[in-house]
Amino acid sequence: EVQLVESGGGLVQAGGSLRLSCAASGFTAEDYTIGWFRQAPGKEREGVSCISRSDGTTQYANTVRGRFTISSDNAKNTVYLQMDSLEPEDTAVYYCAASTRIESAQHMGVLALITGWYNYWGQGTQVTVSS
């Protein structure tokens, strides 16, 4: 069974950094995309970034572009989200998700960050940024 486990969340001061990890297991399909999403209290879940295993291409939300970097270690089935220059507005529960429907983040463009494309979800990890 497909499982996604996030880790790396915590409390940091504005301007600081965190690196989130998403460990995936149980996949049989070779072509899948891993995405990071976040949800703050009272707000809808939003896409942050994603990366496709097929071609290694990525997408970023405009709110995090230039500050966050997504990467993958395919041998370990692990995806990372390096978050730098964190702001209080980044405070949220961050979720890792997997899609077997997105072949290429590049070809999908911004649509790759739509939650409806993702089949599987992790439990989430809390990120809190203090001012």
Side-chain angles (χ1 to χ4, degrees):
E1 181 175 321
V2 174
Q3 293 185 6
L4 302 171
V5 180
E6 306 97 330
S7 62
L11 174 64
V12 298
Q13 191 173 347
S17 298
L18 284 174
R19 189 180 75 158
L20 306 183
S21 298
C22 174
S25 62
F27 282 101
T28 58
E30 295 181 356
D31 187 10
Y32 61 89
T33 293
I34 298 293
W36 285 100
F37 298 79
R38 66 186 184 185
Q39 187 166 23
K43 297 184 178 180
E44 295 185 358
R45 190 169 299 183
E46 62 175 347
V48 175
S49 183
C50 66
I51 184 168
S52 294
R53 181 172 180 174
S54 61
D55 57 12
T57 58
T58 62
Q59 289 290 325
Y60 294 94
N62 290 335
T63 51
V64 306
R65 185 175 289 108
R67 298 188 298 120
F68 292 8
T69 304
I70 192 169
S71 61
S72 65
D73 185 335
N74 290 337
K76 296 181 179 180
N77 288 326
T78 300
V79 172
Y80 305 95
L81 184 68
Q82 178 67 43
M83 305 185 295
D84 298 321
S85 301
L86 283 164
E87 304 169 352
E89 292 75 18
D90 297 315
T91 296
V93 176
Y94 283 70
Y95 297 90
C96 177
S99 174
T100 59
R101 305 166 182 162
I102 301 176
E103 179 180 357
S104 169
Q106 179 182 22
H107 293 166
M108 288 287 291
V110 297
L111 296 178
L113 296 178
I114 300 298
T115 59
W117 289 112
Y118 290 79
N119 313 64
Y120 309 100
W121 294 82
Q123 300 268 247
T125 185
Q126 178 70 48
V127 172
T128 303
V129 184
S130 62
S131 59

Coordinates of all heavy atoms in Angstrom, one line a residue, residues 61-96:
A61 N 4.7 27.5 -6.6 CA 3.8 28.6 -6.4 C 4.5 29.9 -6.4 O 5.7 30.0 -5.9 CB 3.0 28.4 -5.1
N62 N 3.9 30.9 -6.9 CA 4.6 32.2 -7.0 C 4.9 32.7 -5.6 O 5.9 33.5 -5.4 CB 3.6 33.3 -7.6 CG 3.5 33.0 -9.1 OD1 4.4 32.4 -9.8 ND2 2.4 33.5 -9.7
T63 N 4.2 32.4 -4.6 CA 4.5 32.8 -3.2 C 5.8 32.3 -2.6 O 6.3 32.9 -1.7 CB 3.3 32.5 -2.3 OG1 3.0 31.1 -2.4 CG2 2.1 33.3 -2.7
V64 N 6.3 31.2 -3.2 CA 7.5 30.6 -2.6 C 8.6 30.5 -3.6 O 9.8 30.2 -3.2 CB 7.2 29.1 -2.1 CG1 6.0 29.2 -1.1 CG2 6.9 28.2 -3.3
R65 N 8.4 30.9 -4.8 CA 9.5 30.8 -5.8 C 10.6 31.7 -5.4 O 10.4 32.9 -5.1 CB 8.9 31.2 -7.2 CG 9.9 31.0 -8.3 CD 9.3 31.3 -9.7 NE 8.4 30.3 -10.1 CZ 7.1 30.5 -10.2 NH1 6.6 31.7 -9.8 NH2 6.3 29.5 -10.6
G66 N 11.8 31.1 -5.5 CA 13.0 31.9 -5.1 C 13.4 31.7 -3.7 O 14.5 32.0 -3.3
R67 N 12.5 31.1 -2.8 CA 12.8 30.9 -1.4 C 12.8 29.4 -1.1 O 13.5 28.9 -0.3 CB 11.7 31.6 -0.5 CG 11.7 33.1 -0.7 CD 10.8 33.7 0.4 NE 9.4 33.3 0.2 CZ 8.7 32.6 1.1 NH1 9.3 32.3 2.3 NH2 7.4 32.3 0.9
F68 N 11.9 28.6 -1.8 CA 11.8 27.2 -1.6 C 12.4 26.4 -2.7 O 12.4 26.9 -3.9 CB 10.4 26.7 -1.4 CG 9.7 27.2 -0.2 CD1 10.2 28.2 0.6 CD2 8.4 26.8 0.1 CE1 9.6 28.6 1.8 CE2 7.7 27.2 1.2 CZ 8.3 28.1 2.1
T69 N 13.0 25.3 -2.5 CA 13.6 24.4 -3.5 C 13.2 23.0 -3.2 O 13.4 22.4 -2.2 CB 15.1 24.5 -3.5 OG1 15.5 25.9 -3.7 CG2 15.7 23.7 -4.6
I70 N 12.6 22.4 -4.3 CA 12.2 20.9 -4.2 C 13.3 20.1 -4.9 O 13.8 20.5 -5.9 CB 10.8 20.7 -4.8 CG1 10.3 19.3 -4.4 CG2 10.8 20.9 -6.3 CD1 8.8 19.1 -4.7
S71 N 13.5 18.9 -4.3 CA 14.5 18.0 -4.9 C 14.1 16.6 -4.5 O 13.3 16.4 -3.6 CB 15.9 18.3 -4.4 OG 16.0 18.2 -3.0
S72 N 14.7 15.6 -5.2 CA 14.4 14.2 -4.9 C 15.6 13.4 -4.9 O 16.6 13.6 -5.6 CB 13.4 13.7 -6.0 OG 13.9 13.7 -7.3
D73 N 15.5 12.3 -4.2 CA 16.5 11.2 -4.2 C 15.7 10.0 -4.6 O 15.1 9.3 -3.7 CB 17.2 11.1 -2.8 CG 18.3 10.0 -2.9 OD1 18.3 9.1 -3.7 OD2 19.2 10.1 -2.0
N74 N 15.7 9.7 -5.9 CA 14.9 8.6 -6.3 C 15.3 7.2 -5.8 O 14.5 6.3 -5.6 CB 15.0 8.5 -7.9 CG 14.2 9.7 -8.5 OD1 13.4 10.3 -7.9 ND2 14.6 10.0 -9.8
A75 N 16.6 7.0 -5.5 CA 17.1 5.8 -4.9 C 16.5 5.6 -3.5 O 16.2 4.4 -3.1 CB 18.6 5.7 -4.9
K76 N 16.2 6.6 -2.8 CA 15.7 6.5 -1.5 C 14.2 6.8 -1.5 O 13.5 6.7 -0.4 CB 16.3 7.6 -0.5 CG 17.8 7.3 -0.3 CD 18.4 8.4 0.6 CE 19.8 8.1 0.9 NZ 20.4 9.1 1.8
N77 N 13.6 7.1 -2.6 CA 12.2 7.4 -2.7 C 11.8 8.5 -1.7 O 10.8 8.4 -1.0 CB 11.3 6.1 -2.5 CG 11.3 5.2 -3.6 OD1 11.4 5.6 -4.8 ND2 11.3 3.9 -3.3
T78 N 12.6 9.5 -1.7 CA 12.4 10.6 -0.8 C 12.5 11.9 -1.6 O 13.3 12.1 -2.4 CB 13.5 10.6 0.3 OG1 13.4 9.4 1.0 CG2 13.3 11.8 1.3
V79 N 11.5 12.8 -1.2 CA 11.5 14.2 -1.8 C 11.7 15.2 -0.7 O 11.1 15.0 0.4 CB 10.2 14.4 -2.5 CG1 10.0 15.9 -3.0 CG2 10.1 13.5 -3.8
Y80 N 12.4 16.2 -1.0 CA 12.8 17.2 0.0 C 12.2 18.6 -0.4 O 12.1 18.9 -1.6 CB 14.3 17.3 0.2 CG 14.9 16.0 0.6 CD1 15.5 15.3 -0.4 CD2 15.0 15.6 1.9 CE1 16.1 14.1 -0.1 CE2 15.6 14.4 2.2 CZ 16.2 13.6 1.2 OH 16.8 12.4 1.5
L81 N 11.9 19.4 0.6 CA 11.5 20.8 0.4 C 12.4 21.6 1.3 O 12.2 21.7 2.5 CB 10.0 21.0 0.6 CG 9.5 22.4 0.3 CD1 9.5 22.6 -1.2 CD2 8.1 22.6 0.9
Q82 N 13.3 22.3 0.6 CA 14.2 23.2 1.4 C 13.5 24.6 1.4 O 13.2 25.1 0.4 CB 15.6 23.3 0.7 CG 16.5 24.3 1.3 CD 17.0 23.9 2.7 OE1 17.2 22.7 2.9 NE2 17.0 24.8 3.7
M83 N 13.3 25.1 2.6 CA 12.6 26.3 2.8 C 13.5 27.3 3.4 O 13.9 27.1 4.6 CB 11.3 26.1 3.6 CG 10.4 25.0 3.1 SD 8.8 24.9 4.0 CE 9.5 24.4 5.6
D84 N 13.8 28.4 2.7 CA 14.7 29.4 3.2 C 13.9 30.7 3.3 O 12.8 30.9 2.7 CB 15.9 29.6 2.2 CG 16.8 28.4 2.2 OD1 17.0 27.7 3.2 OD2 17.3 28.1 1.1
S85 N 14.5 31.7 4.0 CA 13.8 33.0 4.1 C 12.4 32.9 4.5 O 11.5 33.5 4.0 CB 14.0 33.8 2.8 OG 15.3 34.0 2.5
L86 N 12.1 32.1 5.5 CA 10.8 31.8 5.9 C 10.1 33.0 6.5 O 10.8 33.9 7.2 CB 10.7 30.7 7.0 CG 10.9 29.3 6.4 CD1 11.3 28.3 7.4 CD2 9.6 28.9 5.6
E87 N 8.8 33.2 6.3 CA 8.0 34.3 6.7 C 6.9 33.8 7.6 O 6.5 32.6 7.4 CB 7.5 35.1 5.5 CG 8.6 35.6 4.6 CD 8.0 36.1 3.3 OE1 6.8 35.9 3.0 OE2 8.8 36.7 2.5
P88 N 6.3 34.6 8.4 CA 5.2 34.1 9.2 C 4.0 33.6 8.4 O 3.3 32.7 8.8 CB 4.8 35.4 10.0 CG 6.1 36.2 10.2 CD 6.8 35.9 8.9
E89 N 3.9 34.2 7.2 CA 2.8 33.7 6.3 C 3.0 32.3 5.8 O 2.1 31.7 5.2 CB 2.7 34.7 5.1 CG 2.2 36.1 5.4 CD 3.3 36.9 6.1 OE1 4.5 36.6 6.0 OE2 2.9 38.0 6.7
D90 N 4.2 31.7 6.0 CA 4.5 30.4 5.6 C 4.0 29.4 6.7 O 4.0 28.2 6.4 CB 6.0 30.1 5.4 CG 6.5 30.9 4.2 OD1 5.8 31.0 3.2 OD2 7.6 31.5 4.4
T91 N 3.5 29.9 7.8 CA 3.0 29.0 8.9 C 1.8 28.2 8.4 O 0.8 28.8 7.9 CB 2.7 29.8 10.1 OG1 3.8 30.4 10.6 CG2 2.0 28.9 11.1
A92 N 1.9 26.9 8.5 CA 0.8 26.0 8.0 C 1.2 24.6 8.3 O 2.4 24.3 8.7 CB 0.6 26.2 6.5
V93 N 0.3 23.7 8.2 CA 0.6 22.3 8.1 C 0.9 21.9 6.7 O 0.2 22.2 5.8 CB -0.6 21.4 8.6 CG1 -0.3 19.9 8.4 CG2 -1.0 21.7 10.0
Y94 N 2.1 21.3 6.5 CA 2.6 21.0 5.2 C 2.3 19.5 4.9 O 2.7 18.6 5.8 CB 4.1 21.3 5.1 CG 4.3 22.8 4.9 CD1 4.1 23.7 5.9 CD2 4.8 23.2 3.6 CE1 4.3 25.0 5.7 CE2 5.0 24.6 3.5 CZ 4.8 25.5 4.5 OH 5.0 26.8 4.3
Y95 N 1.8 19.2 3.8 CA 1.4 17.8 3.4 C 2.2 17.4 2.2 O 2.4 18.2 1.2 CB -0.1 17.7 3.1 CG -1.0 18.0 4.2 CD1 -1.5 19.3 4.5 CD2 -1.4 17.0 5.0 CE1 -2.3 19.5 5.5 CE2 -2.3 17.2 6.1 CZ -2.7 18.5 6.3 OH -3.6 18.8 7.4
C96 N 2.6 16.2 2.2 CA 3.2 15.5 1.0 C 2.1 14.7 0.3 O 1.3 14.1 1.0 CB 4.4 14.6 1.4 SG 5.1 13.7 0.1

